[in-house]
Amino acid sequence: MAALGLTACAPPGSGTPAPTSSAPAAGAEATCGTDDVVLSAYIETGFPLPKALFDEFTAQYPNVTFDVREDQFAVLTQNAPRVLQDNPPDLMRLPQMSELASGGLLLDLDPYAEQFGWTEWPESQLAQLRVDDEGRRGNGPLYAMGLNFSMTGVFYNKDLAAEIGMTEAPKTIDELDAALEAAKQAGITPIAQFNGGATGGLMFPLQALMASYGPTQPLNDWIFHTEGATIDTPENLAAAEHLQKWVEAGYFADDVNSMDYSQMMSRFIGGDSLFIFNGDWESGNLDTQMAGKAGFFLMPPLEEGGTQFGAMSAPLTYGIAAGAKNPDCAAFFLDWVATDEKARTITVEVGGSHPMGPADAFMPEVDADSVTAATLAAGTQVNEVNGAMDFLANATGSIYAQSWTPNIQQLVAGKQDAAGLLSAVEADYQAEVGG
């Protein structure tokens, strides 16, 4: 709990007493009922999927409306313990779970999992959302649910790619390097990537490189606090050194350390960069804003035809505060997101990614030439090589804002190198998890 206090920097809220877990009574059905209900939701800013789902849910259940508060990912990371303690929301985007679950701030969703049949879904969907009594993820009670399965990779501008002779996605890291150099020589910004403020967006290409240089399981082990796991490995060092070479070669926009997420998207959509490293949650947006002009591929392996590659692929995690006022209705909403046909269609068309739910659940048809089709196909590729990873930023409550981000920004500024980056992050991680 001391760690929770250190990461909580939001102003005190309403002074709500320490939360106590609640769950549906034995034999009772969790629903939203017929009386008016206002579900409080604390979500990540800049992403349309949650609000699109909220609107459709209200259209189907007019007695339920949503009181929505939004913050950036880094702010959510730091505010989560205080918000869950002082103003416990019914639904909250969770950037990290371990300390929140072990600290008693999240509701145990296992009773709902039994009631709604979530236990019959593919177990891999829920494993990352389980936390044991020592704060280790992967086992134990279910403390969250996902709005979808998000996945990261590389979006590219097809028109700019054609200008440098890139007619298909790179098949190796060397081919990607060649495309970056060709773009630079042609006067095209190779990569516009957010990395400003409290958002270390260069972690996207870094973790993707790590998955090409080494297996993904050790990365998940580190995120899940598996005994003996470390981020400071020879494979990860090679990946970090590769990222440093990109920085030193000038492949990122000159103002990368001040660029925020919205600026990155604006520049890419406006045709001002060849690549961005981002997630499939933008697929629907790009299909609208850049119809037919945007492509997507996974970070390629080191060798053509190789199977050593991966992607950050994790549920868009939402939890219910232990002290939430409307836990049954919130759980009913989470089940609806995964099982209702209109909700699943919104998840694909707006979120651009695969919905949660049963393996044989309804899936809407998708234009074969769309970015959404490319991201869904890439998800199949990742599953075939067991290359799914959680986000390194989710290892602890403060590791993203207080260690990864400043160190990776210093790498861009020439004040840190690859070895120092990994060493510093590992030291901060060990100090926090008590390794």
Side-chain angles (χ1 to χ4, degrees):
M1 290 300 290
L4 294 179
L6 290 173
T7 59
C9 62
S14 61
T16 302
T20 56
S21 297
S22 58
E29 181 181 1
T31 70
C32 290
T34 57
D35 294 336
D36 287 347
V37 177
V38 179
L39 287 178
S40 59
Y42 187 25
I43 69 176
E44 184 177 2
T45 191
F47 299 95
L49 176 61
K51 288 189 284 188
L53 290 169
F54 296 163
D55 290 344
E56 177 59 29
F57 190 79
T58 296
Q60 293 188 29
Y61 300 93
N63 64 306
V64 181
T65 56
F66 292 81
D67 179 15
V68 180
R69 173 185 172 188
E70 299 181 67
D71 266 324
Q72 292 185 352
F73 184 85
V75 178
L76 282 166
T77 300
Q78 296 191 16
N79 284 1
R82 182 70 63 88
V83 170
L84 288 166
Q85 175 75 29
D86 291 351
N87 288 301
D90 297 310
L91 293 163
M92 182 171 175
R93 168 76 168 101
L94 300 175
Q96 202 280 334
M97 291 176 53
S98 298
E99 295 98 328
L100 304 177
S102 59
L105 298 175
L106 294 175
L107 187 64
D108 178 350
L109 303 185
D110 273 349
Y112 296 115
E114 291 291 337
Q115 175 183 317
F116 290 121
W118 300 344
T119 53
E120 303 303 315
W121 298 359
E123 178 56 29
S124 60
Q125 290 189 24
L126 304 179
Q128 296 185 33
L129 308 176
R130 296 187 179 279
V131 183
D132 67 17
D133 56 7
E134 295 184 15
R136 292 188 298 253
R137 291 170 57 205
N139 293 288
L142 185 71
Y143 282 102
M145 183 54 68
L147 295 193
N148 62 10
F149 266 114
S150 62
M151 185 188 63
T152 61
V154 191
F155 290 99
Y156 67 99
N157 182 307
K158 291 183 178 179
D159 290 343
L160 296 181
E163 289 185 24
I164 64 167
M166 180 182 143
T167 58
E168 60 182 3
K171 295 184 174 63
T172 65
I173 294 293
D174 284 346
E175 288 187 11
L176 178 56
D177 287 347
L180 293 169
E181 180 61 25
K184 181 184 177 183
Q185 293 301 322
I188 299 169
T189 299
I191 308 169
Q193 191 70 22
F194 73 101
N195 205 54
T199 58
L202 261 66
M203 287 188 66
F204 281 50
L206 174 59
Q207 188 166 347
L209 284 164
M210 287 179 174
S212 295
Y213 273 93
T216 56
Q217 187 57 49
L219 300 177
N220 279 328
D221 288 344
W222 187 79
I223 297 165
F224 296 163
H225 303 178
T226 301
E227 186 176 355
T230 177
I231 199 64
D232 196 358
T233 67
E235 294 85 0
N236 291 343
L237 176 58
E241 288 174 340
H242 203 119
L243 180 69
Q244 186 176 349
K245 290 178 183 177
W246 285 358
V247 170
E248 293 171 347
Y251 293 156
F252 293 98
D254 292 341
D255 60 346
V256 60
N257 261 1
S258 62
M259 189 184 304
D260 64 23
Y261 184 89
S262 61
Q263 289 173 315
M264 174 190 72
M265 291 305 303
S266 177
R267 291 189 193 184
F268 182 70
I269 292 171
D272 292 332
S273 74
L274 176 57
F275 298 121
I276 57 171
F277 290 82
N278 206 355
D280 54 9
W281 51 83
E282 291 291 356
S283 298
N285 179 37
L286 294 176
D287 278 329
T288 300
Q289 300 286 338
M290 297 178 65
K293 295 185 177 182
F296 178 88
F297 60 90
L298 297 168
M299 180 72 87
L302 293 177
E303 298 179 359
E304 186 171 349
T307 59
Q308 183 53 64
F309 62 92
M312 289 178 281
S313 179
L316 182 61
T317 308
Y318 273 70
I320 301 173
K325 294 181 181 179
N326 304 291
D328 283 5
C329 186
F332 182 81
F333 167 79
L334 292 173
D335 182 70
W336 172 88
V337 168
T339 57
D340 181 82
E341 289 191 3
K342 287 187 177 179
R344 291 177 66 85
T345 299
I346 290 171
T347 297
V348 171
E349 294 182 350
V350 177
S353 53
H354 201 292
M356 302 283 286
D360 59 353
F362 165 84
M363 283 289 288
E365 293 186 7
V366 176
D367 182 349
D369 295 326
S370 65
V371 179
T372 298
T375 55
L376 291 175
T380 300
Q381 287 181 272
V382 170
N383 289 335
E384 287 174 350
V385 299
N386 197 30
M389 307 172 283
D390 197 357
F391 189 23
L392 291 174
N394 292 338
T396 75
S398 66
I399 202 75
Y400 179 60
Q402 297 183 19
S403 190
W404 278 117
T405 294
N407 276 288
I408 210 162
Q409 288 173 343
Q410 289 171 14
L411 182 76
V412 172
K415 298 179 180 179
Q416 180 64 285
D417 62 15
L421 165 70
L422 296 181
S423 176
V425 170
E426 181 63 23
D428 291 338
Y429 172 88
Q430 292 297 339
E432 191 165 352
V433 303

